[in-house]
Every structure is written in C-alpha cells, then in structure tokens.
Amino acid sequence: MFDQTQIYEQILFQSVGEDIKVHQARLIAAGNFNQGVQLLTSAGDFFLKLNFDHRKDIFQKEAEGLALMSEFCPLNIPKVYHFGQLEDYCFLLMDWVASSVAKNDYWEQLGFGLAQMHMATQSKFGLDSDNYIASLEQFNQPHESWSEFFINQRLEPMIGKAYYENLVGAEFLDKFREIYPRLHNFFPNEKPALLHGDFWSGNVLPDQFGSPLIVDPAIYYGHREVDLAFSRMFGGFDPRFYEAYEEVFPLESGFERRVEVYNLYPLLVHLLLFGESYLSGIEKTVDRILA
C-alpha cells in the first residue's frame, strides 16, 4: 500500500512523465467531496485536487472547462497538466499559482476580460456534454431559446431534485413551476455567450502579479447576464468591475430586476448543497415573480 507521499509522486509521474520528489504537501482546502493540496517538489510547486467520491469524471469536466475558457478569455487561468485516476483517487494536477495583493486596475482587468470571454458564442444555448456545478450534475442539452434552456436545464432539474430530497414540498414545487410561463420573453434576446457558470468572489483571486485569476468553472453557453448576476451574490464585486464590463459589452436596460431571477439557479444549488437556510430567498423571489 502506498503512503500519501508516494501517491503524490505517482500522480506527478503519471501527469508529467518524469520522477519528481515531493518535499512537502500542504492541505489548502477540504470539502465534502474534494481536497486541494499544494505540492512543493523538486520541479516546483503544483496544485493537486483529489476526489474520493463516485463522480469520476468531475475533474475531466473541470479540465475541459478551463481549456475552453483559455481559448477565449484573456484572464489568467491555471494550466492543467493532467487528470485521471490512481487507485481510489481521482485527481486533477495544475500549476500552483501564488496569490498576492490585487493591482490598482485589478477590477478593470476582470471586467474587460469577462466581457471578452462573453463574446465567444455558438448557435445554441448549452454545451455538447453535461458537467458539474460544485458537486452537482449540471445539464447542458442544447436549446434554441434561452428561456427554454433556463427552465428545462437549470431550474426544473434543481427544483425537482430538491423535492425528491424533501427540501421542498409538493405545494411549493407546483408554485415554483407557475413562474415558468412568465419567463418567456422576460430576458433580452442575445446570442449564447461562453459563461464561467459559477462566477462568485470565491472563484476569482489575484495571482502572483496581482492580476485576476479565475478558477473552478461550470461552463456552458448561456445568457451572459447569468455570470454578472451570480457575481452579485455574497456581497458582489467592486463597482469598477461592472463599469469596465459595460464599457466593452453594455447590458440591456432592466438588468437589476432580472438579477434575482437568474440567481434562482445558484440559490437552488446552495439549497441542495447546504440545506434549508437558502429556501427563504427562493420563496421570496418566486412570490415577487408571481405577484
């Protein structure tokens, strides 16, 4: 049986193709499903994500998301070396990116960079395969219409799962579904945009040069306002971010009233991951839509 250091060195060999000595391993993050470890090695520092759950393709999907963002986004995105499986471990090996103090134009860089990524488009809303948001499966069957995609691939799977897990009752399930007809013609008519998909403050940080680094995507082609609405959760970003974004890719009027509708999706995600404390926010939004 390998010890932990040997596991790390096996992963490095499998990923990089050479023997690399691990001098130290530092646990950076530990969640319900994943661990994040900084590896200090003879070949420099790496960031290793480990998964002990049954979702064996979760790191493949993350790697694919990072690769697609790298094609279209000018912001710093971690380099992926390899993903795979070793014994009971699923892993994703990336560059270790040290963090520092944000530069003076950090928020402007982030706004410009996200706007440029959102200009990447395709013919339909969705993606060619499903992926994950956090540890939850995210469905991406392509649709011609954003409202149909949002209802069928975002809201309905999550509210249905919440009902199945006894987080909401049948009465609220029926009430939630009453909002669907009201979402047709509610959103601005725009082309699908490449989204980060989980764009909150915890997934954006200053890199070693003080420029924005974005991590942990849940990508798909959707309405670009989704990322901007998501960024407003948990306190939001600096106003300079939104001003810079609008300089490059102005929003249609009425965005403020659409924010809470977009954020039904991340609220449902949080309800499923963290429990009933997120239900009241969902109920209030549903009441306002139906009022």
Side-chain angles (χ1 to χ4, degrees):
M1 183 72 176
F2 294 116
D3 65 25
Q4 202 69 21
T5 298
Q6 288 176 314
I7 287 285
Y8 297 151
E9 291 177 349
Q10 286 273 341
I11 288 172
L12 287 164
F13 182 80
Q14 186 173 326
S15 302
V16 182
E18 59 185 78
D19 288 318
I20 296 175
K21 180 70 174 175
V22 174
H23 299 312
Q24 188 176 359
R26 296 175 177 166
L27 183 65
I28 303 300
N32 292 333
F33 301 101
N34 300 332
Q35 287 186 355
V37 181
Q38 180 190 10
L39 299 179
L40 289 72
T41 81
S42 57
D45 294 354
F46 297 87
F47 183 57
L48 177 65
K49 296 181 80 169
L50 295 170
N51 178 287
F52 307 96
D53 194 61
H54 65 278
R55 300 166 180 81
K56 296 189 182 302
D57 64 342
I58 193 167
F59 291 143
Q60 175 186 344
K61 299 301 183 181
E62 182 174 345
E64 290 171 354
L66 291 167
L68 186 57
M69 285 199 308
S70 295
E71 287 185 43
F72 298 105
C73 184
L75 300 171
N76 191 2
I77 294 165
K79 175 184 175 181
V80 173
Y81 289 96
H82 194 50
F83 60 86
Q85 186 172 0
L86 183 67
E87 294 194 344
D88 295 329
Y89 298 88
C90 296
F91 68 85
L92 174 64
L93 185 71
M94 297 181 285
D95 263 339
W96 170 259
V97 181
S99 187
S100 66
V101 176
K103 293 199 303 187
N104 289 337
D105 64 346
Y106 173 86
W107 293 109
E108 289 84 355
Q109 283 188 50
L110 182 61
F112 292 150
L114 185 70
Q116 290 179 59
M117 187 178 83
H118 283 173
M119 291 178 183
T121 189
Q122 64 174 22
S123 61
K124 294 183 179 181
F125 296 95
L127 202 62
D128 57 4
S129 64
D130 297 334
N131 52 19
Y132 296 88
I133 181 164
S135 59
L136 299 176
E137 190 171 7
Q138 179 170 262
F139 302 100
N140 296 314
Q141 181 181 345
H143 284 60
E144 298 277 356
S145 158
W146 164 249
S147 61
E148 291 292 337
F149 178 86
F150 188 57
I151 293 165
N152 295 327
Q153 303 296 301
R154 291 294 174 266
L155 299 183
E156 181 61 20
M158 292 301 179
I159 193 65
K161 186 174 175 63
Y163 172 71
Y164 179 79
E165 296 185 5
N166 296 313
L167 291 165
V168 301
E171 184 177 350
F172 183 72
L173 176 65
D174 291 340
K175 184 178 182 180
F176 188 93
R177 287 171 170 165
E178 288 177 21
I179 74 173
Y180 295 166
R182 305 198 182 196
L183 299 183
H184 299 297
N185 303 315
F186 177 78
F187 305 104
N189 185 20
E190 294 193 355
K191 293 179 180 179
L194 178 60
L195 305 184
H196 178 280
D198 194 1
F199 196 69
W200 69 289
S201 57
N203 287 338
V204 182
L205 63 156
D207 65 15
Q208 66 268 42
F209 305 111
S211 295
L213 170 77
I214 52 177
V215 298
D216 292 345
I219 65 156
Y220 62 100
Y221 285 86
H223 202 298
R224 64 192 176 102
E225 291 183 339
V226 166
D227 275 347
L228 295 165
F230 209 143
S231 76
R232 300 279 287 271
M233 295 186 69
F234 312 118
F237 290 177
D238 189 284
R240 290 173 291 170
F241 160 73
Y242 302 100
E243 292 164 5
Y245 183 97
E246 291 243 38
E247 278 187 43
V248 178
F249 204 168
L251 296 172
E252 296 283 342
S253 62
F255 170 66
E256 291 296 327
R257 70 185 179 90
R258 294 189 291 273
V259 169
E260 66 174 357
V261 178
Y262 292 119
N263 282 344
L264 280 172
Y265 179 58
L267 283 173
L268 285 166
V269 169
H270 281 74
L271 173 67
L272 288 162
L273 292 176
F274 305 115
E276 295 179 358
S277 61
Y278 288 92
L279 181 57
S280 63
I282 297 168
E283 292 172 332
K284 290 174 183 175
T285 299
V286 168
D287 286 341
R288 281 191 286 267
I289 295 171
L290 295 176

Coordinates of all heavy atoms in Angstrom, one line a residue, residues 42-79:
S42 N 10.6 18.9 -6.2 CA 11.9 19.2 -6.8 C 11.8 19.9 -8.2 O 12.7 20.4 -8.7 CB 12.7 17.9 -7.0 OG 11.9 16.9 -7.8
A43 N 10.5 19.9 -8.7 CA 10.3 20.5 -10.0 C 9.4 21.8 -9.9 O 8.8 22.2 -10.9 CB 9.7 19.6 -11.0
G44 N 9.3 22.3 -8.7 CA 8.5 23.5 -8.5 C 7.2 23.1 -7.7 O 7.0 22.0 -7.3
D45 N 6.3 24.0 -7.7 CA 5.0 23.8 -6.9 C 3.9 23.5 -7.9 O 3.8 24.0 -9.0 CB 4.7 25.1 -6.1 CG 5.7 25.4 -5.0 OD1 6.6 24.6 -4.8 OD2 5.6 26.5 -4.4
F46 N 3.0 22.6 -7.4 CA 1.8 22.2 -8.1 C 0.6 22.3 -7.2 O 0.7 22.3 -6.0 CB 2.0 20.7 -8.6 CG 3.1 20.5 -9.6 CD1 4.4 20.2 -9.1 CD2 2.9 20.5 -10.9 CE1 5.4 20.0 -10.0 CE2 3.9 20.3 -11.8 CZ 5.2 20.0 -11.3
F47 N -0.6 22.4 -7.8 CA -1.8 22.3 -7.1 C -2.5 21.0 -7.5 O -2.8 20.8 -8.7 CB -2.7 23.5 -7.4 CG -4.0 23.5 -6.6 CD1 -3.9 23.5 -5.2 CD2 -5.2 23.6 -7.2 CE1 -5.1 23.5 -4.5 CE2 -6.4 23.6 -6.5 CZ -6.3 23.6 -5.1
L48 N -2.8 20.2 -6.5 CA -3.5 18.9 -6.8 C -4.8 18.9 -6.1 O -5.0 19.1 -4.9 CB -2.6 17.8 -6.2 CG -3.2 16.4 -6.3 CD1 -3.2 15.9 -7.7 CD2 -2.3 15.4 -5.5
K49 N -5.9 18.6 -6.9 CA -7.2 18.4 -6.4 C -7.5 16.9 -6.4 O -7.2 16.2 -7.4 CB -8.2 19.1 -7.3 CG -8.1 20.6 -7.2 CD -9.1 21.3 -8.1 CE -10.4 21.4 -7.3 NZ -11.4 22.4 -8.0
L50 N -8.0 16.4 -5.3 CA -8.3 14.9 -5.1 C -9.7 14.8 -4.8 O -10.3 15.6 -4.1 CB -7.4 14.4 -4.0 CG -5.9 14.3 -4.2 CD1 -5.3 13.9 -2.9 CD2 -5.6 13.3 -5.3
N51 N -10.3 13.7 -5.3 CA -11.7 13.4 -5.2 C -11.8 11.9 -4.8 O -11.2 11.1 -5.4 CB -12.5 13.7 -6.5 CG -13.9 13.4 -6.4 OD1 -14.3 12.2 -6.3 ND2 -14.7 14.4 -6.3
F52 N -12.6 11.7 -3.7 CA -12.8 10.3 -3.2 C -14.3 9.8 -3.4 O -14.7 8.9 -2.9 CB -12.5 10.2 -1.7 CG -11.1 10.8 -1.4 CD1 -11.0 12.1 -1.0 CD2 -10.0 10.0 -1.5 CE1 -9.8 12.7 -0.7 CE2 -8.7 10.6 -1.3 CZ -8.6 11.9 -0.8
D53 N -15.0 10.6 -4.3 CA -16.4 10.3 -4.5 C -16.6 9.5 -5.7 O -15.6 9.2 -6.5 CB -17.1 11.7 -4.5 CG -18.6 11.5 -4.4 OD1 -19.1 11.0 -3.4 OD2 -19.3 11.8 -5.4
H54 N -17.8 9.2 -6.0 CA -18.1 8.3 -7.2 C -18.1 9.1 -8.5 O -18.2 8.6 -9.6 CB -19.5 7.7 -7.0 CG -20.6 8.6 -7.0 ND1 -21.0 9.3 -5.9 CD2 -21.5 9.0 -8.0 CE1 -22.1 10.1 -6.1 NE2 -22.4 9.9 -7.4
R55 N -18.1 10.5 -8.4 CA -18.1 11.3 -9.6 C -16.8 11.3 -10.3 O -16.0 12.2 -10.2 CB -18.6 12.7 -9.3 CG -20.0 12.8 -8.6 CD -20.2 14.1 -8.0 NE -21.5 14.2 -7.4 CZ -21.8 13.8 -6.2 NH1 -20.9 13.1 -5.5 NH2 -23.0 13.9 -5.7
K56 N -16.5 10.3 -11.0 CA -15.1 10.0 -11.5 C -14.7 10.9 -12.7 O -13.6 11.1 -13.0 CB -14.9 8.6 -11.9 CG -15.1 7.6 -10.7 CD -14.7 6.2 -11.1 CE -14.9 5.3 -9.9 NZ -14.1 5.7 -8.7
D57 N -15.7 11.6 -13.3 CA -15.4 12.5 -14.4 C -15.4 14.0 -14.0 O -15.3 14.8 -14.9 CB -16.4 12.2 -15.6 CG -17.8 12.6 -15.3 OD1 -18.1 12.7 -14.1 OD2 -18.6 12.8 -16.2
I58 N -15.6 14.3 -12.8 CA -15.7 15.6 -12.4 C -14.5 16.5 -12.7 O -14.6 17.6 -13.1 CB -16.1 15.8 -10.9 CG1 -16.6 17.2 -10.5 CG2 -15.0 15.3 -10.0 CD1 -17.3 17.3 -9.1
F59 N -13.3 15.9 -12.6 CA -12.1 16.6 -12.9 C -11.8 16.7 -14.4 O -11.3 17.7 -14.8 CB -10.9 16.0 -12.1 CG -10.9 16.3 -10.6 CD1 -10.5 15.3 -9.8 CD2 -11.4 17.4 -10.1 CE1 -10.5 15.4 -8.4 CE2 -11.5 17.6 -8.7 CZ -11.0 16.6 -7.9
Q60 N -12.3 15.7 -15.1 CA -12.2 15.8 -16.6 C -13.0 17.0 -17.0 O -12.6 17.8 -17.9 CB -12.7 14.5 -17.2 CG -12.8 14.6 -18.7 CD -13.5 13.4 -19.3 OE1 -13.6 12.3 -18.7 NE2 -13.9 13.5 -20.6
K61 N -14.3 17.2 -16.5 CA -15.1 18.3 -16.9 C -14.5 19.6 -16.5 O -14.6 20.6 -17.2 CB -16.5 18.1 -16.3 CG -17.2 16.8 -16.7 CD -17.4 16.8 -18.2 CE -18.2 15.5 -18.6 NZ -18.4 15.5 -20.1
E62 N -13.9 19.6 -15.3 CA -13.2 20.9 -14.9 C -12.1 21.2 -15.8 O -11.9 22.4 -16.2 CB -12.7 20.8 -13.5 CG -12.1 22.1 -13.0 CD -11.7 22.0 -11.5 OE1 -12.2 21.1 -10.8 OE2 -10.9 22.9 -11.1
A63 N -11.3 20.2 -16.2 CA -10.2 20.5 -17.1 C -10.7 21.0 -18.4 O -10.1 21.9 -19.1 CB -9.3 19.2 -17.2
E64 N -11.7 20.4 -18.9 CA -12.3 20.8 -20.2 C -12.8 22.2 -20.1 O -12.7 23.0 -21.1 CB -13.4 19.8 -20.6 CG -12.9 18.4 -21.0 CD -14.1 17.4 -21.2 OE1 -15.2 17.8 -20.9 OE2 -13.8 16.3 -21.6
G65 N -13.4 22.6 -19.0 CA -13.9 23.9 -18.8 C -12.8 24.9 -18.8 O -12.8 26.0 -19.5
L66 N -11.7 24.6 -18.1 CA -10.5 25.5 -18.1 C -9.9 25.7 -19.4 O -9.5 26.8 -19.8 CB -9.5 25.0 -17.1 CG -9.9 25.1 -15.6 CD1 -9.0 24.2 -14.7 CD2 -9.9 26.5 -15.1
A67 N -9.9 24.6 -20.2 CA -9.3 24.6 -21.5 C -10.1 25.5 -22.5 O -9.5 26.3 -23.2 CB -9.1 23.2 -22.1
L68 N -11.4 25.4 -22.4 CA -12.3 26.2 -23.3 C -12.2 27.7 -22.9 O -12.1 28.5 -23.8 CB -13.7 25.7 -23.2 CG -14.7 26.3 -24.2 CD1 -14.3 26.2 -25.6 CD2 -16.1 25.7 -24.0
M69 N -12.2 28.0 -21.6 CA -12.0 29.4 -21.2 C -10.7 29.9 -21.7 O -10.6 31.1 -22.1 CB -12.2 29.5 -19.7 CG -13.6 29.4 -19.2 SD -13.8 30.1 -17.5 CE -12.5 29.3 -16.6
S70 N -9.7 29.1 -21.6 CA -8.3 29.6 -22.0 C -8.3 30.0 -23.5 O -7.5 30.9 -23.9 CB -7.3 28.5 -21.8 OG -7.2 28.2 -20.4
E71 N -9.2 29.4 -24.3 CA -9.2 29.8 -25.7 C -9.8 31.2 -26.0 O -9.4 31.8 -26.9 CB -10.1 28.8 -26.5 CG -9.5 27.4 -26.7 CD -10.4 26.6 -27.6 OE1 -11.0 27.1 -28.6 OE2 -10.7 25.4 -27.2
F72 N -10.7 31.6 -25.1 CA -11.4 32.8 -25.4 C -11.2 33.9 -24.3 O -11.7 35.0 -24.6 CB -12.9 32.5 -25.5 CG -13.2 31.6 -26.7 CD1 -13.5 30.2 -26.4 CD2 -13.2 32.0 -28.0 CE1 -13.8 29.4 -27.5 CE2 -13.4 31.1 -29.0 CZ -13.8 29.8 -28.8
C73 N -10.7 33.6 -23.2 CA -10.6 34.6 -22.1 C -9.1 35.1 -21.9 O -8.2 34.3 -21.8 CB -11.1 33.9 -20.8 SG -11.1 35.0 -19.4
P74 N -8.9 36.4 -21.9 CA -7.6 36.9 -21.7 C -7.1 36.9 -20.3 O -5.9 37.2 -20.1 CB -7.7 38.4 -22.2 CG -9.1 38.7 -21.9 CD -9.9 37.5 -22.1
L75 N -7.9 36.5 -19.4 CA -7.5 36.5 -18.0 C -6.7 35.2 -17.7 O -6.7 34.3 -18.4 CB -8.8 36.5 -17.1 CG -9.7 37.7 -17.2 CD1 -11.0 37.4 -16.4 CD2 -9.0 38.9 -16.7
N76 N -6.0 35.3 -16.6 CA -5.1 34.2 -16.2 C -6.0 33.0 -15.7 O -6.9 33.1 -14.9 CB -4.2 34.6 -15.0 CG -3.1 33.6 -14.7 OD1 -3.0 32.5 -15.4 ND2 -2.3 33.9 -13.7
I77 N -5.7 31.8 -16.3 CA -6.4 30.6 -16.0 C -5.4 29.5 -15.7 O -4.4 29.4 -16.4 CB -7.4 30.2 -17.1 CG1 -8.5 31.2 -17.3 CG2 -8.0 28.8 -16.9 CD1 -9.2 31.1 -18.6
P78 N -5.5 28.7 -14.6 CA -4.5 27.8 -14.3 C -4.2 26.8 -15.4 O -5.1 26.3 -16.1 CB -5.1 27.0 -13.0 CG -6.1 28.0 -12.5 CD -6.7 28.7 -13.7
K79 N -3.0 26.4 -15.6 CA -2.6 25.4 -16.5 C -2.8 24.0 -16.0 O -2.5 23.7 -14.8 CB -1.1 25.5 -16.9 CG -0.5 24.4 -17.8 CD 1.0 24.6 -18.0 CE 1.5 23.4 -18.8 NZ 3.0 23.5 -19.0

